[in-house]
Structure formats: C-alpha cells, structure tokens
C-alpha cells in the first residue's frame, strides 16, 4: 500500500526549487555538487512545509527533464534524502517525502512556539503581543458577572450573542456605516470568519484573488479549501494596491472572491487610501466578485498623525459586494478568539445556516468579555496600551536590524505589527533554516506568496523590543553569515535568553 497522501508534479517542484535564491559564492567558497544542491533544495521545501510530508515526488526521469539536469543527478539527490530520513521509497509506489525520527512535522502556517521552547528560541514567527493587563483580567471578571442568565440556556448562539451583535453593529454605525445587528455574525476569530466565507462562496476549484504577498495562514486556509489562488502584486513600498492590476485580474480571471487587507497590510504594513478603496469596490462590483475586507489591524495605527481612511465597507454600506471581517485577536490579544463578519442580512443568514455543520457557535464567556470591553471603555484603553507597546517595539527592532544588518532593506510602516524586509539577495528559506540553528525563528517570504514568490524576503513582527530585539537582530545576522558562507554554527547551541 502506498504511503503517500498527495503528489507534487515535476513542473510544480521545479518552480518551487527555482524560487530559491543562492547568493553568488564568495572567494574560497565552493559550490556544492549539483545533486547536493538539489537535495538541499527539496529538504528546505519539506522543512518549511511548502512541500507537505507524505507527498509523492516526481519520478527521477520526469524531474530531470523539468530541471534540465541528468537523471543521475536526481537519483543521487533522492538517495541522499533517503539517507537523511527526508525521503522514503518503495518499488512500484514511488518516493514520498518524510521527516527523520524525532523531528517535528513542519507547520504550513505560522503557529506560535510552545511556551517551553521560548527559553532558548526567540520567536519572530507569530505577530502577537502579550495580553494588555489589567484589561484582560477585568474583562473576564466582568464576563463572569454577566454569565448566570446565559448559563440557564443551551449556550449555542450560531450568530453570536445578541448583545455583542448589537454592540458591534453600533460601533460600525458610530464609524459612519449604518449597521443592524442582523448584519453581524460573531465567529471564532478572524480565521473562523474567513473559513466560513470561503466555504460559502469559494467552493473547491473556485478562483480567489489575493494580494501578493498576503497573510500566510489565510493563504493556506484557502489552499486547503481547494481554492485556486490568483495573486495580484502589491504596489511598491507602502503605497498599497495597484488598481490597474486589480481591475485587470477581476475582469479577466473573474474570481468568486477577492481577499484584501487594506488597513496596515500583513505583511507589508501598507495602508490603502480612500480612493483606492472606492475604486476597488467599484471594480469588484462590476466583476461580480465578493470583496472580503480584513480589518483586523485597523485600530493599530502607531504614529499619532496617521489619518485613517474610511473602512472599505463605507463604499458598499448595504454589504452586497463587501464582506468585512474584524477581530479582537490582533488589537487586543491573540488568546481572545473572537471575530465577526459584517455583511448583508441574507449573507449572514446563509453563513449562520452553514455553521450548523462546523463549530455551532463561539464561546459565550469570551463573547461576554469582549462585550464588556466595548461597553465600558476598556477596549479603547487596552488598544491604546497595545499601540504604545507595538510602537516602542517597532522602533527598537528597526534600530537593531539597521545596525546589525545594514544591507537589508525595508520601509517602516506607520501601523500594524509587521516589517517586510528584503534580505540583500539572501534566500529567506535558508535564513529561516539557519535561524532555527542559532536560536531565532523567522518566517521566510515564500510563506506569504503563491508558488515560491518572495524568496528574498522575511517578515519581522513587532513582538519583541529592548534587549530581546537586540539579541534577535544579532542572531539574524549570525544566520545571514551562515547563509552567505555556506558555513555552520560550529556546533554551538543557542544560549538561553530571558527577557
């Protein structure tokens, strides 16, 4: 019986391998043999999760043709991978990817490290800050006081608690977009909201237009739902969307859904202006595309003089074209898994009906906690604390990276939680692997792209500051030296660091 559960075609694997950039070898640096370079490239793809574990690889002859190398080179690479535990084979069943015994299965998203691993590893993979106390504790205490009446019910509210739906609707109305509670569904985080939307509108094989780059976990969610992703390149720097490209893609590809982050885009930090928002909504309406606007970062402006544009849904107040997704997880705390959808009432009814076959509802206690924050002014004070933390971390991280890695390029965003960094020609995938060896975890650019794009980038979140930011930048510089020279850490384990 075959042990593989999926397959990677020769052309697809060749594209993924071709995206891996190698820095030109310096004086005294020898290039590895062709088979070794190929084995290393496949191993990197497996370690990053870009080629899944238990994926059948192409036959040697097929891959040799796709890469324009000899079959002997591919055979030697496969043999090296088998010897290292990254490939298994069986006569008649082919060869499939694996991980050596004792190695963790690579994540395809950006899962946070477990707390016990944080002593020796600085985690720059997860763009989330600690809870803004004392507001988390106060919110939970307030929720407990409100809980008794709900405890006498079955506790299932597929559309969300009526009180929280009304509060969220009022908050949109106060922002100038008249909204009824019937236009709101409470979800388990923004991921739960987008998963529900994708299943309702984006069945298997449907096209979904996405910014390029875009948020890695959402891209993976859409892939696993069977969507065909259509990337639309972002404009250079922090200028937001390229509307000519968007109009062309919406007109020619006719995607069922388009997913955008207009407010401090993840990962670039770009902020789309009002004219871009209006024109994109008009283009989506003309194409018959449902525009999903993720505004989970919308309250995280970090500079005092930032003038926030109106929400994307302001240009489609009835919700016939724009579906808005919000969340408490970025602005407040990632452990507060409360999100919401704002859309036309008929869309909300369809989402709620479909939810009966998914998670039935969102935890009542957490909904009450968010409602307490919204109703008491605690939300505004907690988010202001969050802005202060993120602003300080941003400034300290930027200073540390500029000092330790002067060849890396980036623009400093005025909000959000992430820095999108061009790595001076180094492979982001190789930097991520070397970083694990020296004690810093960083996601490489290809996680935020489609089919291997952005190999020359990494994403750095504003989650550490002070001495930890200094140490993180120093470890990134050490990882960069490893990649530049093709060297090793010399067997030295990363030292334990206590913040």
């Amino acid at each position: 019986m075959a042990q593989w559960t999926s397959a990677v075609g020769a052309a697809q694997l060749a594209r993924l391998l071709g995206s891996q950039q190698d820095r030109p070898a310096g004086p005294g640096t020898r290039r590895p043999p062709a088979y070794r370079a190929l084995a290393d490239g496949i191993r990197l793809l497996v370690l990053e999760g870009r080629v899944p574990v238990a994926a059948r690889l192409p036959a040697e002859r097929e891959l040799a043709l796709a890469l324009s190398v000899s079959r002997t080179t591919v055979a030697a690479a496969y043999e090296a991978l088998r010897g290292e535990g990254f490939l298994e084979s069986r006569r008649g069943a082919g060869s499939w990817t694996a991980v050596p015994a004792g190695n963790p299965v690579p994540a395809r998203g950006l899962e946070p490290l477990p707390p016990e691993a944080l002593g020796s590893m600085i985690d720059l993979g997860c763009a989330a800050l600690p809870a803004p106390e004392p507001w988390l504790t106060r919110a939970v205490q307030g929720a407990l006081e409100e809980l008794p009446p709900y405890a006498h019910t079955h506790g299932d509210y597929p559309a969300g608690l009526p009180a929280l739906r009304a509060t969220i609707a009022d908050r949109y109305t106060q922002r100038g977009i008249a909204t009824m509670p019937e236009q709101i569904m409470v979800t388990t985080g923004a991921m739960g909201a987008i998963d529900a939307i994708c299943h309702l509108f984006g069945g298997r094989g449907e096209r979904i237009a996405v910014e390029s780059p875009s948020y890695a976990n959402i891209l993976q969610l859409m892939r696993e739902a069977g969507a065909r992703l259509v990337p639309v390149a972002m404009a250079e720097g922090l200028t937001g969307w390229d509307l000519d490209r968007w109009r062309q893609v919406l007109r020619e590809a006719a995607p069922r859904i388009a997913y955008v982050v207009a407010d401090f885009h993840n990962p670039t930090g770009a902020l789309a202006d009002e004219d871009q928002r209006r024109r994109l909504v008009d283009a989506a309406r003309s194409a018959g595309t449902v525009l999903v606007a993720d505004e989970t970062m919308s309250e995280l402006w970090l500079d005092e003089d930032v003038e926030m544009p109106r929400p994307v849904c302001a240009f489609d107040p009835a919700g016939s074209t724009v579906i808005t997704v919000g969340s408490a997880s970025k602005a407040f705390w990632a452990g507060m898994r409360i999100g919401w959808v704002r859309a036309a009432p008929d869309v909300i009814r369809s989402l709620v009906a479909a939810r009966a076959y998914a998670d039935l509802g969102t935890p009542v206690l957490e909904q009450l906690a968010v409602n307490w924050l919204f109703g008491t002014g605690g939300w505004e004070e907690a988010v202001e604390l969050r802005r202060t933390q993120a602003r300080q971390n941003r400034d300290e991280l930027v200073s540390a990276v500029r000092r330790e890695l002067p060849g890396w390029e980036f623009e400093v965003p005025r909000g959000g939680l992430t820095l999108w960094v061009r790595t001076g020609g180094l492979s982001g995938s190789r930097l991520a692997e070397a970083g694990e060896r020296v004690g810093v975890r960083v996601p490489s650019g290809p996680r935020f792209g489609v089919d291997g794009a952005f190999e020359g980038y990494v994403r750095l979140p504003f989650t550490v500051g002070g001495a930890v930011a200094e140490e993180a930048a120093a470890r990134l510089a050490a990882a960069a030296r490893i990649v530049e020279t093709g060297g090793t850490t010399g067997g030295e384990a990363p030292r334990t660091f206590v913040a």
Side-chain angles (χ1 to χ4, degrees), residues 351-405:
L351 288 169
V352 171
R355 194 174 193 179
Y357 307 101
D359 64 355
L360 292 178
T362 301
V364 169
L365 188 63
E366 292 185 26
Q367 292 186 72
L368 289 172
V370 171
N371 199 49
W372 183 92
L373 286 166
F374 285 154
T376 61
W379 177 268
E380 285 71 23
E381 295 195 38
V383 172
E384 183 55 41
L385 176 60
R386 171 68 76 238
R387 293 190 196 107
T388 300
Q389 293 173 324
R391 183 186 307 115
Q392 182 174 341
N393 286 354
R394 177 196 65 180
D395 296 345
E396 291 171 347
L397 182 65
V398 164
S399 296
V401 172
R402 282 177 171 163
R403 181 172 56 256
E404 296 284 347
L405 294 150

Side-chain angles (χ1 to χ4, degrees), residues 243-275:
L243 266 298
D244 290 336
R245 289 176 179 167
W246 270 105
R247 275 195 299 269
Q248 180 182 3
V249 167
L250 294 178
R251 182 176 62 250
E252 296 178 359
R256 187 72 181 91
I257 302 174
Y259 169 76
V260 298
V261 184
D263 302 295
F264 307 118
H265 174 259
N266 187 352
T268 69
L271 177 64
D273 63 32
E274 283 211 7
D275 183 59

Side-chain angles (χ1 to χ4, degrees), residues 118-407:
L118 294 177
S120 60
M121 183 73 70
I122 297 175
D123 186 8
L124 297 181
C126 184
L129 290 162
E133 288 288 25
W135 297 109
L136 175 61
T137 299
R138 292 180 181 176
V140 173
Q141 291 171 341
L144 287 171
E145 293 176 2
E146 299 290 334
L147 183 61
Y150 296 93
H152 294 292
T153 73
H154 50 62
D156 285 335
Y157 296 87
L161 293 184
L164 181 56
R165 295 176 72 195
T167 299
I168 294 171
D170 286 344
R171 288 174 65 83
Y172 279 106
T173 300
Q174 291 164 14
R175 295 166 69 187
I177 307 106
T179 303
M180 304 179 295
E182 292 78 10
Q183 290 179 264
I184 302 295
M185 180 177 83
V186 180
T187 62
T188 308
M191 291 289 289
I194 294 169
D195 181 58
I197 294 165
C198 286
H199 279 89
L200 181 62
F201 290 99
R204 184 164 295 275
E206 290 281 4
R207 294 184 180 93
I208 300 180
V210 295
E211 296 148 327
S212 182
S214 186
Y215 179 37
N217 286 339
I218 293 296
L219 295 180
Q220 190 58 34
L221 181 155
M222 292 173 175
R223 290 188 188 103
E224 293 181 359
R228 298 164 59 189
L229 301 184
V230 183
V232 186
M234 295 285 289
E236 285 297 316
L238 299 177
T239 55
W241 300 322
D242 184 328
L243 266 298
D244 290 336
R245 289 176 179 167
W246 270 105
R247 275 195 299 269
Q248 180 182 3
V249 167
L250 294 178
R251 182 176 62 250
E252 296 178 359
R256 187 72 181 91
I257 302 174
Y259 169 76
V260 298
V261 184
D263 302 295
F264 307 118
H265 174 259
N266 187 352
T268 69
L271 177 64
D273 63 32
E274 283 211 7
D275 183 59
Q276 290 173 318
R277 296 165 191 242
R278 179 186 295 104
R279 291 164 62 195
L280 184 59
V281 172
D282 289 344
R285 184 181 293 113
S286 297
T289 296
V290 174
L291 183 62
V292 180
D294 184 339
E295 59 175 27
T296 55
M297 298 280 191
S298 64
E299 295 190 63
L300 289 176
W301 64 85
L302 303 184
D303 296 333
E304 296 297 336
D305 59 343
V306 173
E307 293 187 13
M308 290 300 296
R310 285 181 292 168
V312 177
C313 61
F315 305 99
D316 178 52
S320 58
T321 296
V322 177
I323 297 179
T324 302
V325 172
S327 173
S329 300
K330 292 297 185 185
F332 185 77
W333 182 48
M336 187 68 78
R337 305 305 305 164
I338 298 296
W340 52 86
V341 177
R342 180 198 181 276
D346 62 318
V347 172
I348 295 297
R349 285 193 294 270
S350 297
L351 288 169
V352 171
R355 194 174 193 179
Y357 307 101
D359 64 355
L360 292 178
T362 301
V364 169
L365 188 63
E366 292 185 26
Q367 292 186 72
L368 289 172
V370 171
N371 199 49
W372 183 92
L373 286 166
F374 285 154
T376 61
W379 177 268
E380 285 71 23
E381 295 195 38
V383 172
E384 183 55 41
L385 176 60
R386 171 68 76 238
R387 293 190 196 107
T388 300
Q389 293 173 324
R391 183 186 307 115
Q392 182 174 341
N393 286 354
R394 177 196 65 180
D395 296 345
E396 291 171 347
L397 182 65
V398 164
S399 296
V401 172
R402 282 177 171 163
R403 181 172 56 256
E404 296 284 347
L405 294 150

